[in-house]
Amino acid sequence: MWWVWCESVRCLSVNQLEVLISREQIASRVSEIGKQITSDSAGEPVIFVGVLKGAAVFLSDLVRQVKLDATFDFIGVASYGNPVQQGNIWDSTGEVRLTKDVDRSLRDKNVILVEDILDTGLTLTFIKRLLLGHRPNSFRVAVLLDKPSRRKLAIQADYVGFTIPDKFVVGYGLDYAEQYRNLPDICVVPDV
Ligand code: IMP
Ligand code: MG
């Protein structure tokens, strides 16, 4: 059995995690989104900007499903404070800061921001404001997962992989205290 030590003093084996979205479902949906982006952006070069670290896996699969002149870059953000010490592990403080900026200007580019999950909307709102400051030609957002029931700010993605209930999920890039990002399926962590 494969055990993982989490910083919040919990040991969870992967066998304790219930699969919410299988690797086959993910692959099929990512392919559909890739086709949609290919058709929506036909004839235009695009730049995918992934949000570290959670979106890295989604971005790497998505860009290979897009038949366009495409490049990619990454941005890093963090919430102030330690979310693990708050009531819920996924409750961020709401104060977001930049830890890594894009390497090149996005001026006049067709930007597709790639995020793992849209939850309260605080992170995406911060990033959107920041990247619009580059004055791109166009700006769209692709998220693998959307948890609309927890939204605090009115923001939507242009491409959504799956809409999910208010559960804490891991795998396919998403973490719990930095663990489980390498799981091929998206799984639910029992109440934390
Ligand atoms: P927001 O600012 O509340 O929308 O949070 C977005 C960020 O919170 C995501 O990029 C994730 O890093 C994290 N997050 C929110 N929900 C989950 C979850 O269920 N699993 C793992 N990370 C999550
Ligand atoms: Mg994230």
Side-chain angles (χ1 to χ4, degrees):
M1 196 183 287
W2 189 61
W3 289 93
V4 176
W5 177 253
C6 293
E7 287 165 24
S8 58
V9 200
R10 281 176 65 96
C11 281
L12 291 171
S13 84
V14 285
N15 302 338
Q16 288 174 269
L17 303 175
E18 173 203 342
V19 174
L20 181 69
I21 306 169
S22 70
R23 64 200 78 182
E24 293 83 9
Q25 290 173 293
I26 298 169
S28 160
R29 188 71 189 112
V30 171
S31 167
E32 285 173 5
I33 297 174
K35 285 189 185 123
Q36 187 66 52
I37 291 174
T38 303
S39 131
D40 292 350
S41 302
E44 296 173 354
V46 294
I47 175 161
F48 292 89
V49 177
V51 184
L52 293 170
K53 303 168 200 167
V57 179
F58 177 38
L59 182 143
S60 71
D61 281 348
L62 182 63
V63 293
R64 286 178 288 169
Q65 298 296 327
V66 168
K67 294 179 177 52
L68 294 170
D69 169 4
T71 56
F72 58 84
D73 200 341
F74 288 96
I75 192 168
V77 291
S79 290
Y80 284 105
N82 180 1
V84 178
Q85 289 171 353
Q86 295 171 33
N88 274 321
I89 187 167
W90 66 93
D91 278 345
S92 65
T93 57
E95 289 178 80
V96 185
R97 70 191 161 89
L98 189 66
T99 57
K100 186 212 168 290
D101 204 350
V102 284
D103 292 337
R104 295 192 180 174
S105 168
L106 302 172
R107 181 93 188 238
D108 297 332
K109 307 280 188 197
N110 299 304
V111 175
I112 301 180
L113 183 74
V114 182
E115 175 63 307
D116 53 2
I117 186 164
L118 177 52
D119 188 23
T120 63
L122 294 164
T123 307
L124 196 55
T125 300
F126 172 87
I127 295 171
K128 184 174 178 180
R129 191 175 302 143
L130 187 82
L131 297 189
L132 286 179
H134 285 248
R135 298 171 65 188
N137 181 52
S138 64
F139 183 84
R140 279 169 293 154
V141 177
V143 297
L144 178 68
L145 303 174
D146 187 7
K147 268 195 235 177
S149 59
R150 283 178 39 89
R151 201 77 90 252
K152 288 183 181 162
L153 294 178
I155 186 162
Q156 288 182 340
D158 301 277
Y159 306 100
V160 175
F162 303 90
T163 299
I164 63 165
D166 183 8
K167 305 270 186 200
F168 194 83
V169 292
V170 293
Y172 198 72
L174 291 124
D175 75 307
Y176 171 70
E178 293 297 327
Q179 302 292 331
Y180 307 117
R181 290 194 196 275
N182 61 324
L183 297 184
D185 308 301
I186 292 169
C187 301
V188 177
V189 177
D191 280 347
V192 288

